[in-house]
Amino acid sequence: MTQRHVVSTVIAAATMLALSGGAVAAADGKLVLFANGEDLATDGFVGRKLTKDGWELHFDHVFATVDDLVAHQTEPPYDAEAGGEPAATVSVAFETGGPVTLDLAAAGDDGRVRVADAAAPEGHYNALTWSAVPAPGGDWAGQSMVFIGTATKDGRSVPFTLTSADTHEYTCGEYVGDERKGFVTAGDEADLEITFHLDHIFGRADKPADDPMNQEATGFDAFSDGGTQAISLAGLHIGHVGEGHCAVSYR
Amino acid sequence: MALALLAAPGPVLGHAALIDVMETRAVTIHARYDTGQPLAEAQVAVFAPDDPRTPWLTGRTDADGRFSFVPDGREGRWAIQARQAGHGAMGYITWGAAEPGEATMLALASPAATDGLQRLVLAACVVWACISTALYFRRRPAGHKGAR
């Protein structure tokens, strides 16, 4: 857990203690945290959704290692554009026992990967903080994200493995999607979601070349030699909460 | 004689259409990308303070990314969501204050923000005020709250 998360969690815990007159509030429900890479991770960049430079991508694996997962009730709601620390009144840490590696290409039928759950006091968890960190062990130790798959263009297929060792710290506001999320009530469970937008890395052929996302995205041409190559993700806004934005910093 | 009675002018009752016109406060949102491009025809959902999970009103922004609505009098924090083509944002406004409220539309996807300095500039550009404004509108029959 990073220093900023320790500080925010301690502040939130102190606030809860003060509000409850010294007794820690009971955990009334459960929060379940999911992650996904949308259909671009499971189905690939296919059809109209080729990369910005016209490559079709299929992923065997999209590994992402995450840590420091904390859901917050904030007042006022967190403004990811303004950045800074969320004004948390309640914070709930997902105890994962350290960094956990997810395969976003192996999502379930609902397109999501279950990350962790935690007992949570009632309320609306309208902010989420988390980090993508280098994996401490395993086949891809030292890498925070790894993309393994095959790229195809003009009849040429290129097996690739792209590795990133970047650490990214995200502070996100409320989930934005088909429904609002994060409302915990007594005896019930609610879910939250980390959403990786892979088109911010590879761009999208079905969007104009001058679209800001395409202008920033790396695309795939730079990796067309295939094999194992390093990719820098610094500066790219990959992590979201549904369609909602996050403040991000890279190390 | 009977024909004369039938043709005589008199009051018409039962099916008159009436319109009351009045001035009221409303909430207007302006949804746009941090590049300044409006979220035209974006999906909008409005959530009332006492039922934050169920949209109280849905609609679409106009070509300039604007959408207006009149809260039904419930005081507290109203939430407004705007979404378009994989980009989304939430805005909030506290309704019920004597003075027009202010709200901020939060968190549009911003792939262009690449470093601390640039991010501050972009943040200053994307934050906008949502001001309750007085406007004329036609009072609608009760139960038509789903329409803009």
Side-chain angles (χ1 to χ4, degrees):
Chain A
M1 182 174 285
T2 61
Q3 184 176 5
R4 67 184 181 128
H5 291 154
V6 169
V7 171
S8 65
T9 302
V10 167
I11 291 172
T15 304
M16 289 175 61
L17 202 61
L19 293 174
S20 62
V24 176
D28 292 325
K30 186 164 79 172
L31 263 178
V32 184
L33 180 63
F34 292 90
N36 78 68
E38 304 181 299
D39 58 343
L40 295 176
T42 54
D43 301 339
F45 286 69
V46 296
R48 295 180 62 244
K49 296 181 181 179
L50 301 177
T51 68
K52 72 173 190 178
D53 36 23
W55 289 87
E56 180 175 302
L57 302 183
H58 288 279
F59 297 105
D60 299 317
H61 303 282
V62 177
F63 293 120
T65 301
V66 296
D67 197 11
D68 302 329
L69 305 152
V70 184
H72 308 274
Q73 298 181 32
T74 67
E75 181 58 44
Y78 183 68
D79 181 351
E81 281 298 332
E85 295 290 329
T89 57
V90 176
S91 294
V92 172
F94 293 93
E95 300 299 340
T96 56
V100 56
T101 299
L102 315 168
D103 186 354
L104 304 175
D109 292 339
D110 63 354
R112 308 192 297 180
V113 177
R114 188 175 180 123
V115 182
D117 56 59
E122 285 188 291
H124 184 204
Y125 291 82
N126 57 356
L128 186 68
T129 52
W130 57 282
S131 300
V133 301
D139 291 343
W140 299 104
Q143 307 300 329
S144 57
M145 294 197 74
V146 179
F147 306 87
I148 302 172
T150 303
T152 304
K153 183 179 180 181
D154 298 333
R156 185 167 74 100
S157 289
V158 180
F160 64 86
T161 298
L162 307 180
T163 64
S164 170
D166 297 314
T167 295
H168 355 158
E169 295 182 340
Y170 292 92
T171 305
C172 312
E174 181 175 345
Y175 173 90
V176 178
D178 290 338
E179 61 182 9
R180 297 181 81 186
K181 292 184 180 292
F183 294 95
V184 172
T185 55
D188 208 349
E189 75 176 40
D191 66 315
L192 290 172
E193 188 177 297
I194 293 169
T195 313
F196 290 85
H197 287 200
L198 302 190
D199 49 2
H200 287 227
I201 303 171
F202 298 107
R204 287 262 294 270
D206 60 341
K207 293 184 178 294
D210 62 354
D211 183 284
M213 179 184 70
N214 275 338
Q215 290 188 324
E216 293 295 322
T218 305
F220 191 81
D221 276 347
F223 310 106
S224 61
D225 288 342
T228 300
Q229 303 184 54
I231 181 172
S232 173
L233 302 179
L236 302 178
H237 276 63
I238 306 167
H240 291 68
V241 277
E243 298 168 6
H245 191 43
C246 305
V248 57
S249 61
Y250 288 84
R251 285 191 281 119
Chain B
M1 180 63 180
L3 285 175
L5 284 174
L6 286 173
V12 178
L13 302 174
H15 291 88
L18 304 174
I19 296 177
D20 296 326
V21 180
M22 64 192 66
E23 189 178 80
T24 189
R25 281 203 305 149
V27 175
T28 298
I29 68 163
H30 186 196
R32 58 189 177 184
Y33 292 99
D34 49 7
T35 58
Q37 179 185 357
L39 265 73
E41 300 295 328
Q43 297 176 34
V44 176
V46 179
F47 301 86
D50 59 352
D51 189 8
R53 290 192 244 200
T54 307
W56 171 79
L57 177 70
T58 59
R60 289 191 180 273
T61 59
D62 64 16
D64 194 36
R66 297 182 190 278
F67 180 86
S68 298
F69 68 97
V70 180
D72 64 0
R74 280 176 279 185
E75 295 186 355
R77 176 171 291 148
W78 290 71
I80 307 102
Q81 181 189 76
R83 303 170 62 200
Q84 184 190 60
H87 297 284
M90 292 293 298
Y92 309 89
I93 188 168
T94 300
W95 183 260
E99 297 298 321
E102 288 188 354
T104 302
M105 200 67 170
L106 303 179
L108 291 171
S110 175
T114 55
D115 57 54
L117 179 60
Q118 189 178 11
R119 180 161 189 77
L120 285 173
V121 174
L122 288 171
C125 294
V126 78
V127 172
W128 53 275
C130 168
I131 302 172
S132 298
T133 183
L135 76 162
Y136 285 98
F137 82 116
R138 288 178 293 184
R139 191 169 66 179
R140 300 161 301 171
H144 283 204
K145 66 183 180 182
R148 273 181 63 192

